[in-house]
């Protein structure tokens, strides 16, 4: 086993220790290896999560870092980043409660997508790096007007902030330094024919308000397990096929599965096969079981393609990042080079997707 593979092994072992699927590392990393692990964890957006791993190994600021092979600066750097993540998490939690309370006063219910709801599946929720706040609004007062539009109008009226409506399937605004994506659709229906069919399924599933949790005394709704499983799968596969995903996305999937009330696997596999996501689903599940050490009995596998799973994992770990605001030419070039990913994430043909995408971009430019 070469040094890179050894570091990869320690990387996955550290995640396992962090989430409780392994007790200790197979060997003690050197200071140099800890430096490499830090860069890997940072790239995969798992610095906070893996801080829990350091703590589970016995690392602390009172010379405990020495027992796990770290020097003081390495530990303090890691601890400082984790403290920043925890501070942002606390800010997000208070913000989510404030936003839910505001909508509640307008007769609107707020369902959280991804983000905070998924963090509750982790042993230390506050160490999962927060991002944008994604929401789906619904009327609770019997109004027939679209809840998302009512919500946006109320935000503009009350907080005097601009709400953008130039995104594909959600509006967007920023409040208290936090970006909010208000979804009127769960997926972008303009660039793929299959997404229009899938959106109808999402809207039907959203009628089940799922679960609710109390956040700072406010009621916040979470998707049902059916809606969450299909939405997370499509969201993850869509990003994988375009700009790529991090291992954080895979870990989110696995932690959700392990802490759900019970995934309806027969239904989910049927939907995955209908939309040609079944091989990607197989790869996600295999990574969770084989590399992250999650209990196999929580997952139902219908296919086994070890070569494909290895290719998917290799792309997540070592694939090139797409530069933000990349040109249309660069995006198109990457899209063509990575067409193998399209074939395991969508049932639309490459030609159909290309035509729909061009049409959507032209229409957007004419507005």
């Amino acid at each position: 086993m070469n040094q890179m593979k050894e570091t990869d092994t320690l990387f996955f072992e550290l995640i396992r220790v962090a989430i409780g699927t392994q007790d200790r590392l197979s060997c003690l990393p050197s200071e140099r290896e800890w430096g490499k692990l830090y860069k890997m964890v940072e790239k995969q957006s798992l610095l906070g999560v893996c801080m829990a791993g350091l703590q589970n190994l016995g690392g602390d600021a009172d010379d405990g870092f020495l027992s796990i092979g770290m020097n003081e600066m390495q530990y303090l750097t890691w601890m400082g980043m984790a403290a920043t993540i925890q501070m942002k998490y606390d800010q997000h939690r208070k913000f989510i409660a404030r936003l839910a309370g505001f909508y509640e006063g307008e007769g609107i219910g707020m369902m959280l997508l991804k983000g905070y709801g998924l963090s509750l599946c982790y042993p230390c929720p506050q160490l999962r790096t927060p991002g944008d706040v994604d929401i789906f609004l619904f009327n609770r007062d019997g109004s027939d007007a679209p809840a998302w539009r009512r919500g946006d109008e109320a935000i503009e009226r009350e907080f005097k902030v601009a709400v953008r409506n130039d995104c594909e399937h959600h509006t967007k605004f920023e409040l208290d330094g936090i970006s909010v994506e208000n979804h009127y659709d769960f997926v972008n229906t303009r660039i793929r024919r299959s997404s229009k069919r899938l959106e109808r399924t999402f809207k039907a599933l959203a009628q089940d308000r799922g679960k609710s949790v109390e956040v700072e005394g406010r009621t916040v709704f979470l998707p049902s397990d059916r809606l969450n499983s299909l939405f997370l799968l499509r969201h993850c596969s869509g990003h994988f096929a375009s700009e790529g995903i991090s291992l954080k996305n895979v870990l989110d999937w696995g932690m959700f599965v392990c802490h759900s009330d019970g995934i309806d696997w027969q239904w989910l596999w049927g939907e995955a096969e209908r939309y040609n996501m079944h091989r990607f689903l197989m790869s996600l599940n295999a990574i969770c079981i084989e590399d992250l050490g999650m209990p196999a009995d929580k997952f139902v596998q219908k296919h086994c393609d070890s070569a494909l799973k290895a290719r998917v994992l290799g792309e997540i770990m070592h694939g090139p990042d797409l530069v933000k605001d990349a040109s249309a030419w660069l995006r198109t070039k990457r899209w063509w080079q990575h067409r193998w990913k399209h074939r395991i994430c969508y049932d639309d043909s490459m030609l159909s997707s290309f035509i729909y995408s061009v049409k959507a971009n032209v229409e957007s430019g004419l507005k």
Side-chain angles (χ1 to χ4, degrees):
M1 182 181 293
N2 61 39
Q3 188 174 13
M4 179 60 73
K5 290 184 177 179
E6 288 177 352
T7 306
D8 282 358
T9 297
L10 287 172
F11 169 72
F12 284 107
E13 287 185 354
L14 181 59
I15 297 173
R16 289 185 180 209
V17 171
I19 62 175
T21 58
Q22 184 170 320
D23 293 330
R24 59 182 62 87
L25 302 179
S26 58
C27 63
L28 191 65
S30 64
E31 289 184 7
R32 183 179 180 184
E33 286 172 324
W34 274 120
K36 291 180 179 179
L37 285 170
Y38 181 90
K39 291 180 180 178
M40 293 175 69
V41 169
E42 184 178 35
K43 178 182 178 182
Q44 300 299 330
S45 301
L46 292 173
L47 273 172
V49 170
C50 287
M51 182 65 195
L54 302 187
Q55 294 169 339
N56 290 342
L57 289 170
D60 58 43
D62 296 326
D63 295 337
F65 56 86
L66 296 175
S67 67
I68 60 175
M70 275 188 170
N71 62 47
E72 185 175 17
M73 183 56 65
Q74 286 176 323
Y75 184 82
L76 291 177
T77 299
W78 207 314
M79 185 174 68
M81 292 301 298
T84 299
I85 291 169
Q86 185 168 350
M87 180 180 69
K88 289 182 179 179
Y89 183 89
D90 290 340
Q91 291 172 343
H92 271 66
R93 179 181 173 86
K94 292 175 182 176
F95 175 80
I96 287 168
R98 179 189 178 195
L99 193 61
F102 172 74
Y103 287 131
E104 185 178 330
E106 298 291 328
I108 298 172
M110 186 179 87
M111 179 185 291
L112 282 178
L113 306 177
K114 305 177 294 178
Y116 178 79
L118 292 176
S119 76
L120 301 178
C121 300
Y122 284 76
C124 298
Q126 69 276 17
L127 290 176
R128 180 191 177 276
T129 304
D132 295 340
V133 175
D134 291 75
I135 61 175
F136 179 79
L137 302 179
F138 57 92
N139 290 317
R140 302 185 69 186
D141 59 1
S143 174
D144 293 328
W148 68 269
R149 183 173 289 121
R150 291 179 62 202
D152 284 347
E153 290 172 351
I155 288 289
E156 289 183 318
R157 182 177 63 249
E158 178 68 21
F159 299 105
K160 309 297 189 253
V161 298
V163 178
R164 293 169 47 199
N165 194 11
D166 56 353
C167 301
E168 300 91 351
H169 55 289
H170 58 76
T171 60
K172 192 169 186 176
F173 62 89
E174 188 169 303
L175 192 62
D176 296 344
I178 296 175
S179 180
V180 179
E181 296 184 354
N182 179 15
H183 289 249
Y184 48 83
D185 285 335
F186 287 84
V187 291
N188 181 359
T189 62
R190 296 188 304 154
I191 61 173
R192 286 183 183 83
R193 184 182 291 111
S194 64
S195 293
K196 293 183 179 181
R197 291 184 281 117
L198 187 55
E199 183 62 31
R200 289 193 290 269
T201 299
F202 283 136
K203 290 288 173 51
L205 291 172
Q207 296 302 309
D208 177 359
R209 302 310 178 197
K211 313 165 187 177
S212 65
V213 293
E214 293 296 313
V215 183
E216 303 285 334
R218 296 293 184 180
T219 299
V220 174
F221 293 86
L222 302 177
S224 66
D225 284 343
R226 269 197 173 191
L227 174 55
N228 225 357
S229 62
L230 186 59
F231 176 67
L232 291 175
L233 175 60
R234 183 64 166 200
H235 179 266
C236 203
S237 65
H239 280 280
F240 177 77
S242 54
E243 68 266 26
I245 60 174
S246 69
L247 203 67
K248 175 187 175 185
N249 299 105
V250 182
L251 190 59
D252 277 348
W253 169 254
M255 298 304 289
F256 160 69
V257 169
C258 290
H259 292 84
S260 68
D261 293 333
I263 303 297
D264 186 344
W265 285 105
Q266 182 176 357
W267 173 83
L268 182 60
W269 273 108
E271 293 298 301
E273 290 170 352
R274 179 175 301 142
Y275 292 100
N276 195 37
M277 298 185 289
H278 55 286
R279 287 168 294 176
F280 183 73
L281 174 57
M282 175 277 298
S283 300
L284 283 185
N285 287 350
I287 294 170
C288 289
I289 297 168
E290 298 169 12
D291 300 283
L292 300 177
M294 296 182 183
D297 61 359
K298 291 288 187 178
F299 300 81
V300 172
Q301 287 285 64
K302 292 185 64 175
H303 309 275
C304 184
D305 186 337
S306 57
L308 177 61
K309 174 257 179 179
R311 190 177 189 184
V312 169
L313 181 57
E315 178 68 18
I316 294 171
M317 292 292 295
H318 307 296
D321 295 326
L322 183 63
V323 179
K324 186 178 181 182
D325 300 323
S327 66
W329 164 247
L330 184 59
R331 289 180 180 276
T332 302
K333 180 181 178 181
R334 177 171 172 139
W335 171 77
W336 179 252
Q337 291 174 335
H338 291 190
R339 57 192 180 277
W340 69 272
K341 297 196 290 184
H342 180 101
R343 290 194 289 265
I344 64 170
C345 294
Y346 297 112
D347 66 336
D348 310 80
S349 69
M350 294 287 288
L351 178 60
S352 172
S353 295
F354 181 76
I355 292 173
Y356 266 70
S357 180
V358 170
K359 181 181 177 182
N361 287 329
V362 169
E363 291 175 347
S364 177
L366 293 175
K367 290 181 179 180

